[in-house]
Amino acid sequence: MRSKHMPKVTVPHRSTSNPAPLAQHQRLALLRQTVNSDDILLQDRVAAVLVLLHAQPLTRITQLTIDDVLQKADQVLVRLGDPPSPVPERFAGMLLAHLDQRPNTLTAANPNARWLFPGRRAGQPMTSHTLELRLRRLGFPIQRGRTAAIRHLVLQAPAPVVARMIGYHDDTTAQLAAEAGGTRRHYAPGDHSR
């Protein structure tokens, strides 16, 4: 442009601020649609539910292993933090079905893959970028859905409890609870049995 070999170009500004979260009724409708849509691949449905229900970022979802899915008696749990998070019955069925039919495990590169979402490279999980592209092609609002889920969770339980169960930092959930109008701002985490 300075040497006059090309016309002046204006690069549009892209906002990096957090978009408004989905309304609770929108999140629940999307969750219901995701669970009931048999025309969407099971692995995409499982990833989407982990975002909408447990507020998990895609980078963390792709790092989950089959050992992070626990079955105790008649309950299915997902180890996202400590203690593991309980999984609702309908999602539990999807999650267990996904364990039995994970993609990319029948190749010579990944016969013993332990990843919940195995990638195409030997011993590697699916990349978060690949998972993001898959969900975006479906029109899934990843960031807005995750923000709505975490805000709902911190309004239902004390922020430190939510933080430990879903693997977030206490400060992050406390800040989100304050932004969402949570009433448990002064909840002290830890053992209160004394």
Side-chain angles (χ1 to χ4, degrees), residues 22 30 41 54-55 62 66 71 75 78 81 93 95 108 114 122 146 149 152 164 172 176 178 187:
L22 295 173
L30 187 57
L41 290 175
H54 295 286
T62 58
I66 59 174
Q71 286 183 279
Q75 189 175 27
V78 178
L95 193 55
R114 307 284 305 160
R146 188 168 71 91
H152 177 72
R164 286 187 182 88
T172 303
L176 288 168
Y187 177 85

Side-chain angles (χ1 to χ4, degrees), residues 5-6 24 29-30 51 53-54 58 62 67-68 70 77-78 82 86 112 133 141-142 151 156 158-159 168 174 182:
H5 291 289
M6 87 180 249
Q24 179 66 357
L30 187 57
V51 171
L53 196 59
H54 295 286
L58 299 182
T62 58
D67 301 322
D68 292 322
L70 310 168
L77 305 151
V78 178
D82 186 36
N112 300 318
L133 290 175
I142 300 165
R151 285 183 179 212
Q156 299 301 312
Y168 275 65

Side-chain angles (χ1 to χ4, degrees), residues 38-154:
D38 291 330
D39 57 331
I40 300 174
L41 290 175
L42 184 59
Q43 69 176 346
D44 297 339
R45 292 168 53 207
V46 168
V49 172
L50 284 168
V51 171
L52 288 171
L53 196 59
H54 295 286
Q56 293 301 295
L58 299 182
T59 53
R60 193 172 301 151
I61 290 172
T62 58
Q63 295 301 309
L64 292 173
T65 67
I66 59 174
D67 301 322
D68 292 322
V69 178
L70 310 168
Q71 286 183 279
K72 292 187 177 181
D74 60 342
Q75 189 175 27
V76 176
L77 305 151
V78 178
R79 188 181 307 126
L80 304 169
D82 186 36
S85 297
V87 174
E89 186 177 327
R90 184 72 192 249
F91 180 47
M94 287 173 48
L95 193 55
L96 295 176
H98 174 67
L99 284 176
D100 292 336
Q101 51 185 306
R102 292 175 301 136
N104 300 327
T105 57
L106 300 177
T107 63
N110 275 333
N112 300 318
R114 307 284 305 160
W115 300 107
L116 189 58
F117 297 93
R120 292 186 178 178
R121 290 184 154 168
Q124 297 296 314
M126 179 185 292
T127 66
S128 58
H129 179 69
T130 300
L131 187 55
E132 179 180 5
L133 290 175
R134 294 176 67 92
L135 294 178
R136 289 213 186 276
R137 266 189 236 119
L138 297 171
F140 184 78
I142 300 165
Q143 188 174 1
R144 293 180 66 213
R146 188 168 71 91
T147 303
I150 188 68
R151 285 183 179 212
H152 177 72
L153 290 170
V154 297

Side-chain angles (χ1 to χ4, degrees), residues 23-36:
Q24 179 66 357
H25 72 278
Q26 292 174 313
R27 182 178 78 91
L28 293 176
L30 187 57
L31 190 57
R32 200 173 299 112
Q33 176 188 352
T34 303
V35 169
N36 294 326

